[in-house]
């Protein structure tokens, strides 16, 4: 076990304690053999890494939002104007110039497809729906979008009335769902997936399952591993946890949970800040 211990000079240090029971040949218990190791430096390093990871995730979200705004406000508008110009050019071309009209029409079609893809990319980078209407509508829209784009059935279910969670918790659960569904599309070869958002007196939970080919969690998969590390780190930052169950050809289940005390404390902190 790990605990804090005051050293002779009054400084508190982190200790990891190992203990093994000793028995005589007849089974009589003789006590323990153990050792204590000072791990204060290791603890400090872990805290620094966690803090750095949190700052990186927040910086990533800010950059996602900036790029999404650029795509939506600048590039999407320019593509829209280009589409209008191509449409006007197509109308002005004489009907006798069949080949030219067909070329312009194909360019107009490709421009519309690029505009649609850019809109989808902007939404994946930063969901304005999450900020405007909340987590549940945003998740419904995400499931519908991925289902339509990749031709798989993604079913969303809300279990219980969602409490007033913080923006950080909502964004975390949205990103976990987004990452999990992306992994399903890329790796599982599943034809369907289920997303269930639950809420009760203990907190908020998110369960994402598929019936795809699954994988062995004990095997190192760099592609999947990075995604799982990111999900765990996001949940850690909001006081939550992540568990994973998967078997070969038996599908995968991802379960995320954020205790009620986490966002209740956050709400209390905000209220105190406003009162001050």
């Amino acid at each position: 076990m790990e605990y804090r211990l005051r050293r002779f000079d009054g400084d508190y240090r982190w200790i990891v304690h190992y203990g093994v029971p000793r028995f005589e040949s007849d089974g009589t218990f003789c006590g323990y053999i153990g050792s204590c190791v000072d791990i204060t430096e290791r603890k400090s390093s872990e805290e620094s890494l966690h803090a750095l990871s949190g700052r990186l995730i927040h910086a990533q979200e800010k950059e996602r939002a900036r790029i999404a705004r650029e795509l939506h406000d600048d590039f999407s508008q320019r593509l829209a104007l280009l589409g209008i110009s191509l449409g006007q050019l197509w109308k002005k071309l004489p009907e006798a110039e069949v080949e030219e009209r067909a070329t312009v029409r194909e360019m107009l079609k490709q421009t519309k497809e690029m505009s649609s893809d850019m809109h989808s990319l902007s939404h994946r980078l930063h969901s304005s729906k999450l900020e405007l209407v909340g987590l549940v509508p945003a998740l419904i829209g995400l499931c519908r979008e991925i289902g339509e784009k990749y031709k798989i059935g993604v079913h969303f279910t809300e279990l219980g009335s969602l409490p007033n969670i913080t923006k950080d918790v909502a964004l975390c659960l949205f990103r976990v769902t987004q990452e999990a569904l992306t992994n399903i599309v890329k790796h599982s070869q599943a034809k369907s997936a289920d997303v269930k958002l639950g809420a009760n007196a203990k907190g908020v939970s998110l369960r994402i399952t598929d019936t795809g080919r699954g994988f062995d969690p004990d095997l190192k998969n760099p592609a999947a591993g990075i995604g799982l590390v990111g999900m765990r780190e996001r949940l850690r930052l909001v006081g939550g946890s992540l568990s994973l169950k998967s078997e070969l050809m038996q599908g995968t289940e991802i379960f995320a949970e954020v205790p009620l005390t986490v966002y209740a404390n956050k709400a209390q902190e905000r209220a105190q800040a406003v009162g001050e």
Side-chain angles (χ1 to χ4, degrees):
M1 62 180 177
E2 296 180 5
Y3 55 88
R4 295 177 71 222
L5 186 68
R6 191 171 69 175
R7 202 167 56 181
F8 69 92
D9 58 0
D11 187 22
Y12 279 91
R13 311 287 290 180
W14 275 101
I15 302 294
V16 59
H17 190 163
Y18 299 95
V20 180
R22 293 178 60 244
F23 299 94
E24 295 286 357
S25 58
D26 61 357
T28 303
F29 175 65
C30 299
Y32 285 90
I33 294 179
S35 64
C36 297
V37 181
D38 188 329
I39 59 169
T40 305
E41 283 72 19
R42 192 194 78 186
K43 280 284 188 180
S44 298
S45 298
E46 289 176 355
E47 291 174 0
S48 298
L49 286 174
H50 285 320
L52 175 60
S53 177
R55 290 197 297 271
L56 288 174
I57 287 178
H58 286 303
Q60 181 192 52
E61 286 298 334
K62 288 183 179 179
E63 188 64 9
R64 279 173 176 255
R66 186 191 67 80
I67 295 174
R69 285 194 300 269
E70 290 286 338
L71 291 175
H72 182 271
D73 298 340
D74 185 8
F75 292 96
S76 290
Q77 299 300 324
R78 288 157 65 181
L79 279 176
L81 291 174
L82 178 61
I84 293 173
S85 298
L86 287 172
Q88 292 174 346
L89 176 60
W90 180 81
K91 290 180 180 180
K92 290 179 180 180
L93 286 173
E95 294 186 3
E97 298 181 3
V98 178
E99 185 176 346
E100 288 76 5
R101 286 171 62 86
T103 300
V104 173
R105 191 173 185 85
E106 179 62 25
M107 292 173 63
L108 178 59
K109 177 184 176 183
Q110 292 180 9
T111 301
K112 289 181 178 179
E113 290 176 353
M114 288 175 60
S115 180
S116 177
D117 291 342
M118 192 168 293
H119 176 76
S120 298
L121 176 59
S122 173
H123 177 69
R124 289 197 300 272
L125 286 170
H126 180 73
S127 175
S128 57
K129 183 180 293 185
L130 180 63
E131 296 180 354
L132 295 174
V133 296
L135 179 60
V136 173
L139 288 179
I140 293 173
L142 176 64
C143 293
R144 184 186 301 114
E145 178 185 341
I146 290 181
E148 291 175 352
K149 183 173 182 178
Y150 298 103
K151 309 303 179 186
I152 67 172
V154 184
H155 310 287
F156 176 80
T157 306
E158 183 184 7
L159 305 173
S161 179
L162 190 68
N164 185 25
I165 61 176
T166 65
K167 289 183 178 180
D168 288 342
V169 173
L171 178 59
C172 170
L173 295 176
F174 181 83
R175 291 299 188 205
V176 168
T177 306
Q178 191 177 44
E179 180 66 32
L181 292 178
T182 300
N183 286 340
I184 289 172
V185 170
K186 289 182 177 179
H187 306 294
S188 76
Q189 298 180 353
K191 300 299 181 183
S192 64
D194 288 296
V195 178
K196 295 181 180 179
L197 183 68
N200 53 37
K202 295 182 179 180
V204 176
S205 63
L206 177 68
R207 191 184 305 273
I208 304 165
T209 57
D210 69 78
T211 55
R213 62 182 183 178
F215 65 95
D216 186 350
D218 294 331
L219 296 178
K220 300 300 181 182
N221 183 341
I226 292 174
L228 290 173
V229 168
M231 286 190 275
R232 284 197 172 95
E233 189 60 23
R234 284 182 178 277
L235 283 160
R236 186 194 65 79
L237 290 174
V238 296
S241 60
L242 181 80
S243 61
L244 170 71
K245 296 179 182 178
S246 186
E247 295 182 14
L248 291 175
M249 308 312 296
Q250 297 295 320
T252 302
E253 176 186 280
I254 290 177
F255 182 74
E257 187 173 28
V258 181
L260 174 64
T261 53
V262 173
Y263 45 85
N265 290 339
K266 293 287 185 181
Q268 185 178 3
E269 290 173 4
R270 289 200 307 271
Q272 291 176 350
V274 172
E276 293 173 357

